[in-house]
Structure formats: structure tokens, C-alpha cells
Amino acid sequence: MTAPSVPSVPLHSGTAIPALGFGVWQVPDADAHRAVAEALRVGYRSIDTAAVYQNEPGTGRAIAESGLPREQIFLTTKLWNSDQGFDETLRAVDASLDRLGTDYLDLYLIHWPVPEYDRYIDTFKAFERIRDEGRARAIGVSNFRVEDLRRVIDETGTVPAVNQIELHPGLPQDELRAFHAEHGIVTEAWSPLGQGQSLTDPVIAEVAAEHGVTPAQAVLRWHLQLGNVVIPKSVTPARIAENFDVFGFELTGEQMRRISAIDGGRIGPDPAEFNLR
Ligand code: NAD
């Protein structure tokens, strides 16, 4: 089947990431294999996993079995906190590549800054080497605050291509998005549907009804029109297809503002305090 065209967002490193991808957090390996196979069948071409999700093998197998040329897929994985540090990172990337059954990543992310550990600068220096050696086409970070991004830029001279952050209605992350825009960093939204919580918000229901679409589609449209890259997760084939079908309508400026005004907050951990490793 021909994949419907999803717009691409250019990365300053020279490649481009599909604006809509598929995430597999909390999906056991065998289920990830099935879900990624289904997502690729529907037309998704960007897959987001992480070493800590323990589903790199199933994800990699689904990609290999899809028959799609590797270069048509944008594959992201993330370095876990306990693997931070220069030498540790060089070992961890090879382990991820091995589990994924590929010889390069399209995007490698530092999963969390882990402020107490204070190793992300050395880690990012290893990322530069990984990029220079061709094992990752782009390198970036996740859950980094403005102060963390500033340090990376000042101390390594490299601007991360992407910062993947918790972002959904109720947590629009205006300050980080403005910083990203100023520095050419792409904003990627994790838990874009608020882990499903955004879908029961009455404002979302109203906007969705105004377009005859589902709440998930309205929320994903809000992200895309803000310029965010999104990676919604589902293991249910009908929802995997529904979340991909978001290019046939457009929210008005007024609908965008109504969604952006929704009250909320974080669902996940605060990166300033998340020191698990
Ligand atoms: P999400 O916001 O994508 O929500 C997923 C949940 O919403 C599903 O489990 C399901 O319950 C519900 N859902 C999905 N589609 C639906 C639909 N069409 N209709 C009704 N309900 C629907 O949550 P997420 O999985 O937390 O985030 C997406 C991805 O972001 C993850 O899979 C992972 O790849 C990434 N992520 C990254 C980090 C990080 O620290 N970098 C953290 C969390 C998630």
C-alpha cells in the first residue's frame, strides 16, 4: 500500500522527521512487534522506542519484516539514565542497535537529564561521536529544561536536533517551545494525548464535534498546527488508524486558542526531580 503523505519537519542536522509517528512506551515486546507492524501497514513511518521500554527487539523485527526499505523509516531510540557517561553511552548505543537489528538510528535521544547524576554533557559528547561515525543521523535530548539545553549548547557547541518533552492540552510548554524555536530545536510531544486524559476534556469534545472528528484527532491536529512532532501510542488497530487520519481538516485560530487555554499540568515526572537510574 502507498503510505499517505505525512509532512516532514526538517532537523537542523540535515535530515527530516515525520510530523506524526508512533510511540511504544509500556508496550511489552511481543505486543510492540504486533503494534509496530500494524502502524507500518497503516502508513506510519516514524517509530519511537527506548532502551528502557524493553521492546527494541520486537520493534526492530516488525521493521525488518515489513519489507520497507530501512531508509523509508525514521527510527528513534533513547539512552537510559544508568547508561549516561562517555564510555557507557558508546557501549549502550551498540547494544540498542544490536537489539533493533539495524546499523543506524535516525534519532538518538538522552532520555532524561538526571540533574543529580550530572553526566549529560559527557553523554552528549559521546552522542557527537556516534553521529560523526554514522550510527545516528541526528542526536537530541528528552525532558531537558531550558537550563539543560543552554548547558549542552554552551559546553559542547552542538544544538540538539530535537527535545522530546511532555506536552499535551493542559501542558502547552510555551517557554520551552519558544526556546526551541529560537535555537532551531524541533519540539517533539510525548504523551500527546495526555495518556488518554485529554480525550475526556469538554473543550476537546466540543472542538471535535465542530469538525465531526474524534477527540484524539482534534488533539493531534492541535499539536500539528502548533508545529509539534507527535508520537501517539495505541495497540488497538482502529485507534492506530484513527490517530493517523488527521490531515483532512484544520482547526481555526479560535479553536487552537480554546485548546491552548485548557488548565492542567504534568502527568509524568518533573525532569528537575527525576533522578532514577
Ligand atoms: P499518549 O498520550 O500517546 O496516550 C496513549 C493512550 O491514549 C493509550 O494508551 C490509550 O489509552 C489512549 N488512546 C490512544 N489513542 C486513542 C484514541 N484514538 N482514542 C481513545 N484513546 C486513545 O501516551 P504515551 O504512550 O504516554 O505517549 C506516547 C509516546 O511518547 C510513548 O509511547 C513514548 O514513545 C513517548 N514517551 C516518551 C517519554 C519520554 O520520557 N521521552 C515519556 C512518555 C512517553
Side-chain angles (χ1 to χ4, degrees):
M1 105 186 241
T2 325
S5 66
V6 171
S8 278
V9 178
L11 302 176
H12 69 63
S13 46
T15 53
I17 182 170
L20 173 67
F22 185 71
V24 290
W25 180 43
Q26 291 178 320
V27 183
D29 195 56
D31 298 338
H33 175 242
R34 269 192 296 278
V36 170
E38 179 61 14
L40 294 173
R41 198 190 63 75
V42 164
Y44 292 79
R45 291 294 178 267
S46 167
I47 308 293
D48 182 87
T49 182
V52 78
Y53 300 170
Q54 297 187 0
N55 55 24
E56 288 174 319
T59 298
R61 262 189 307 123
I63 291 173
E65 291 165 8
S66 72
L68 290 163
R70 172 68 186 85
E71 61 274 15
Q72 282 187 19
I73 293 174
F74 191 99
L75 178 59
T76 302
T77 195
K78 313 184 194 82
L79 175 92
W80 186 239
N81 302 350
S82 52
D83 288 324
Q84 284 207 33
F86 192 88
D87 294 335
E88 293 86 341
T89 297
L90 295 179
R91 282 195 290 273
V93 72
D94 285 337
S96 274
L97 288 169
D98 195 44
R99 286 189 294 265
L100 286 161
T102 186
D103 55 6
Y104 74 94
L105 304 168
D106 293 281
L107 179 62
Y108 198 30
L109 301 176
I110 303 181
H111 208 142
W112 290 88
V114 201
E116 272 180 9
Y117 207 23
D118 195 18
R119 283 188 167 207
Y120 62 70
I121 296 297
D122 280 349
T123 302
F124 204 70
K125 287 180 179 162
F127 269 41
E128 290 175 307
R129 180 185 289 187
I130 289 164
R131 175 202 57 199
D132 293 346
E133 292 177 353
R135 282 178 283 173
R137 297 204 166 157
I139 53 175
V141 295
S142 178
N143 300 299
F144 274 42
R145 305 159 295 171
V146 166
E147 67 200 84
D148 302 316
L149 293 168
R150 276 195 211 285
R151 263 191 79 195
V152 169
I153 296 167
D154 291 350
E155 294 181 37
T156 71
T158 297
V159 178
V162 168
N163 188 15
Q164 185 184 110
I165 53 173
E166 181 180 350
L167 202 173
H168 41 75
L171 189 69
Q173 297 272 25
D174 292 337
E175 187 200 0
L176 265 170
R177 284 193 303 111
F179 185 88
H180 293 167
E182 202 182 308
H183 293 270
I185 300 169
V186 168
T187 302
E188 188 172 24
W190 65 252
S191 296
L193 306 173
Q195 297 176 19
Q197 292 179 29
S198 301
L199 308 180
T200 53
D201 186 285
V203 173
I204 301 295
E206 271 166 36
V207 172
E210 285 159 21
H211 285 278
V213 299
T214 66
Q217 290 170 326
V219 171
L220 293 172
R221 200 58 229 173
W222 171 78
H223 281 285
L224 293 167
Q225 290 181 221
L226 279 182
N228 300 337
V229 169
V230 278
I231 44 169
K233 191 255 323 249
S234 174
V235 292
T236 311
R239 289 175 172 178
I240 293 174
E242 175 187 326
N243 296 346
F244 194 70
D245 182 17
V246 292
F247 298 101
F249 69 103
E250 193 151 342
L251 304 182
T252 64
E254 186 270 331
Q255 290 169 330
M256 289 292 292
R257 283 190 291 280
R258 261 154 68 202
I259 298 180
S260 295
I262 290 172
D263 259 350
R266 286 186 197 284
I267 299 171
D270 181 344
E273 287 158 17
F274 190 66
N275 289 300
L276 183 75
R277 47 176 211 271

